[in-house]
Amino acid sequence: MTWHLTEDVEEFRRAADGYLARDPARSTALLTMSEMVRRHGPQAYGDAGPARFGWWREGGGAVEGAFVQTQPRPPLLGPMPENLARALARELRAVGPGLSGVRAADGAAKAFADEWTGGGDWRVDVRRLRLFRLGQLTPQEPAPSGRARQAGADDIVHAAAWMKSFVADIGDPSDADHDYTENVARRVADGLLYLWEETDGRSVSMAAHSPLIAGQSRVASVYTPAGLRGRGYAGAITAAVSRAALDAGAEHVLLFTDLANPTSNALYQRLGYRPVADYLDVEFI
């Protein structure tokens, strides 16, 4: 019984694809992150170090747990029993370096944190996350004025500034030095980033969806500048991006929300999203 660690994304996917396919919704972030490394190389998420992957299996049996870590972010754990999360904490402590935290479903996150700190000092970061899956898409009525459009090359600089503001708003210090321009340029090139454009041509909101993987796509980076909020733009662009994901062939459309933001949680549920699972973002202090 052991955890297997690697920096080779293809080795990871060969070993873990069956596990990831068993519950692709709860494994959505692992699928997306590993696919990004496949497409763009080991530094796809920055230059802090290559991505690290791992899976757990007993003998020749099925894989029962997996994780992905892109430096300098903490490891992201897939669905797994608490005892495997504890074993992973011991394994990662043995190979180093230190970790700033862990992101996982509630039970696994707490078990990993307790093992890593010896039952000591850790706290839940400001974000408690909930994974939602789209049922019947129900766009808001009446819709705000304007229309959704795919972002183009001329929008990259503007959208990158919004992306930086979005990350600041959600309080993710691990992305503080991220190359937002490169991130946005990739999404634009893949046709995955959308803007809500007012009738006067101003862009007032944005959202993106991930590439289609395992029959699903995830909505992300829903952002409206502070001075433009409360006008229905976020709901409109989320509905438009959700429709774009469905039109691209997604059987399931997912998104994560911050449970500290009741406005966005209520909005997504009005659009037809339904809860799947809760996650914790744990920071070690």
Side-chain angles (χ1 to χ4, degrees):
M1 297 183 291
T2 184
W3 277 95
H4 304 268
L5 306 184
T6 185
E7 294 178 359
D8 184 338
V9 65
E10 296 300 338
E11 181 185 13
F12 169 72
R13 290 295 296 268
R14 284 193 301 271
D17 264 357
Y19 160 85
L20 299 171
R22 286 201 300 272
D23 195 345
R26 288 176 174 82
S27 298
T28 176
L30 278 71
L31 283 161
T32 302
M33 293 165 71
S34 60
E35 192 66 23
M36 181 69 72
V37 174
R38 268 180 157 177
R39 294 185 181 193
H40 300 289
Q43 267 75 39
Y45 286 90
D47 297 327
R52 180 163 59 175
F53 309 90
W55 66 94
W56 188 98
R57 77 163 85 233
E58 181 175 359
V63 170
E64 297 183 31
F67 82 94
V68 174
Q69 183 185 13
T70 57
Q71 304 288 354
R73 301 161 190 81
L76 175 65
L77 279 53
M80 68 179 68
E82 292 181 14
N83 65 305
L84 298 193
R86 291 182 180 277
L88 177 59
R90 294 192 294 270
E91 182 76 19
L92 294 182
R93 186 190 298 115
V95 301
L99 299 177
S100 61
V102 65
R103 296 172 181 177
D106 284 35
K110 292 174 181 176
F112 185 102
D114 281 340
E115 185 68 32
W116 183 268
T117 63
D121 203 8
W122 61 271
R123 67 177 174 85
V124 177
D125 200 0
V126 291
R127 287 193 297 167
R128 291 177 175 266
L129 306 177
R130 178 163 291 165
L131 176 65
F132 284 84
R133 177 165 41 210
L134 182 63
Q136 179 66 42
L137 181 60
T138 309
Q140 61 191 22
E141 294 291 345
S145 57
R147 67 182 182 93
R149 67 170 177 84
Q150 275 187 325
D154 292 343
D155 301 305
I156 291 175
V157 172
H158 180 63
W162 276 5
M163 192 72 72
K164 185 174 183 178
S165 297
F166 167 76
V167 170
D169 278 1
I170 65 174
D172 189 349
S174 66
D175 267 357
D177 298 320
H178 193 61
D179 189 336
Y180 299 101
T181 301
E182 181 179 355
N183 178 289
V184 168
R186 288 175 182 167
R187 296 187 184 195
V188 168
D190 291 339
L192 303 176
L193 183 67
Y194 286 74
L195 302 172
W196 191 266
E197 187 176 79
E198 258 291 5
T199 52
D200 60 4
R202 289 179 301 133
S203 297
V204 294
S205 192
M206 76 172 182
H209 69 88
S210 65
L212 186 64
I213 306 171
Q216 58 190 14
S217 180
R218 191 171 72 254
V219 173
S221 306
V222 180
Y223 178 77
T224 305
L228 297 172
R229 294 170 189 170
R231 307 183 191 187
Y233 296 137
I237 193 62
T238 301
V241 168
S242 301
R243 172 55 59 190
L246 291 170
D247 290 345
E251 299 174 21
H252 301 287
V253 182
L254 309 168
L255 59 77
F256 282 101
T257 67
D258 183 347
L259 287 178
N261 189 337
T263 300
S264 63
N265 280 269
L267 167 64
Y268 297 138
Q269 291 181 79
R270 289 196 300 271
L271 294 175
Y273 282 88
R274 299 293 177 259
V276 175
D278 288 356
Y279 293 77
L280 293 183
D281 193 345
V282 175
E283 181 181 350
F284 303 144
I285 59 171

